[in-house]
Amino acid sequence: MTEQYFHATLTQIEERAIRLLAGVPTHLDGMDALCESCRRDLDSVILGAQSLRDDDQYRDASVQTERLRLLRNLFGQLDILESSAVAALQRVNDDDRRMTKTARVLAEECKFPLTAPVVSCTSQDYFSIDPKLRLVQIPLTDGRHLLHLADLAHEMAHGLFTDRHNPKVQAFKAALREVKALVYAHFDQRQKDLALGRSPIGLKERTPIWSKSWLNSWIVEFFCDLFGVFAAGPSYGWAHLHLCLRHDSDSHQCPFFDTTSHPANAARTMVIMDGLRMAGFGPEADELAAAWGDFLHLTRESSDADFVECYPNHLLRQVVEFGFRAYKETGCQVVSRSSMGKCQTLLNSAWQQFRSDPKKYPAWEAAAMKKFYSEYGL
Amino acid sequence: MNNAGLESSIYEELRGYSEALNRYLIKLKTEPANARFTPPKEVAELIQGLSENFPGEVSMQLLSSGLRERGAFPLVRVKRLRTALDSGASSRETIQDLEELAQYLGRHQAGAFARLRRTR
């Protein structure tokens, strides 16, 4: 690769970043932190491109592989910024402002230890978060309705596992390590046991995939679900069930050939129900369990031997116990019937209304949202 | 609850490590052979994380389990690298280990980025 190529490409990266930087608003109410993060990251891309292009040390023939890797990093950083944060900031509308306020109020009510994320209604595929930029993306019209908004708590919780050094999130990191050790020990022992005798076809091969899925991402997803339960109460459980109904899925799915990022919906439901009971919402957990049973009857799904092997009850129970302890040690406030804040009340009332009188729900929702947001001038 | 959040945080964490590791490599390769360099914090954390059984970061979990599965970069080699970096002295062997690690990191980064593009 010639020096001229590096020079021209790095100049293009620099120009692209400068153009994006010019498009980042100077001030956006409630979103200044995201604007600042964007400016900082774009600045670092510009400096990085200039340095890779102009500094003598990068022209040494022995470091061109490393130089190319650094150039690719700049492209990657820029692509992500352009397609998420900058795009979101350039189109901020009233829905985005309302959703950002919702996340902020919910964060205050549960004493979330980090800065609340900015929410943008620009997702093409349900809810997600960029934990580094603290940007949550939700679908275009989901900000007009209440039923799924408890899921904001799940997305916020992902930030707890991204902050590397923040002492405020160490309880969750410690819990993650402890559960990982338990999961590893369980599947390691299981593999040893299976090696001793006959076992169902393929089980020996599937066990390591399950173990790896647990260690790589499932525990984090379970913890984020639990955060949702402890922060938003039963509304989180109902939102989960609603999501299960919304999409085609195999509720008891156990990965066969490769790891998956999210555990099966049935396992998540078990964790959510257990979490609700632990938080003092026993009757609500029973109602959710009954509704989950109806759902499985409707979809004609049931647990099988693989599911029991893949999601052992005692591990799910440990996840809930460690998650509950970490939540409290972090200083977050577990929601209760008597201590609900305005946002928590809104989300839980929405589900009560929706379930008790679905016909009147749309009018109730519109009025409730108007009242809630008018208090914040939105 | 889609994968984008998970994948973007994995990609960003890997990118941070890759950035620090490649810059450190450049320094080691372009400075006088007898120079002594303390590795940057991120590189030290990377090596430390790879020698842990259950690291706190998702990206580190992927890296360390992947490394062990491949068997090409066993724990003993990670520990040797850690000792070498702690001493601050660079040798041909250390640079070669770091180059392999950077290559491996790059492959994981490419995978994370491809998954991220699919989820967005």
Side-chain angles (χ1 to χ4, degrees), chain A residues 108-287:
Chain A
E108 281 166 12
E109 289 172 356
C110 72
K111 296 190 167 54
F112 185 61
L114 306 173
T115 312
V118 164
V119 183
S120 172
C121 304
T122 48
S123 170
Q124 292 170 24
D125 182 20
Y126 203 58
F127 287 35
S128 68
I129 185 170
D130 183 323
K132 186 170 162 270
L133 290 166
R134 302 209 196 292
L135 171 67
V136 170
Q137 289 178 286
I138 69 172
L140 201 59
T141 55
D142 271 18
R144 301 283 175 99
H145 304 285
L146 293 170
L147 297 180
H148 277 305
L149 295 190
D151 283 345
L152 287 174
H154 173 105
E155 299 305 333
M156 272 159 50
H158 274 291
L160 298 168
F161 300 94
T162 313
D163 262 26
R164 212 178 286 164
H165 302 293
N166 191 339
K168 291 176 182 167
V169 303
Q170 291 314 308
F172 266 104
K173 292 215 163 179
L176 183 63
R177 284 197 189 91
E178 291 191 69
V179 176
K180 274 183 182 178
L182 292 170
V183 166
Y184 181 83
H186 168 80
F187 284 106
D188 187 51
Q189 186 57 51
R190 195 71 192 105
Q191 272 173 269
K192 284 176 185 155
D193 292 346
L194 289 171
L196 292 175
R198 294 175 65 179
S199 61
I201 296 168
L203 187 58
K204 271 184 234 171
E205 289 73 30
R206 292 196 292 282
T207 308
I209 296 169
W210 299 340
S211 170
K212 211 170 149 187
S213 297
W214 269 89
L215 296 174
N216 286 356
S217 57
W218 289 359
I219 305 172
V220 170
E221 292 298 334
F222 281 134
F223 276 163
C224 291
D225 279 340
L226 287 166
F227 190 94
V229 169
F230 303 141
S235 65
Y236 186 79
W238 292 112
H240 168 73
L241 181 62
H242 203 39
L243 186 62
C244 294
L245 278 152
R246 184 166 152 165
H247 295 300
D248 284 328
S249 74
D250 175 0
S251 297
H252 297 83
Q253 189 237 359
C254 303
F256 213 84
F257 297 111
D258 203 0
T259 55
T260 57
S261 61
H262 289 67
N265 282 333
R268 296 176 76 169
T269 307
M270 288 163 78
V271 163
I272 289 168
M273 289 190 298
D274 210 5
L276 278 172
R277 288 197 176 93
M278 201 165 270
F281 291 101
E284 289 84 347
D286 291 341
E287 285 179 50

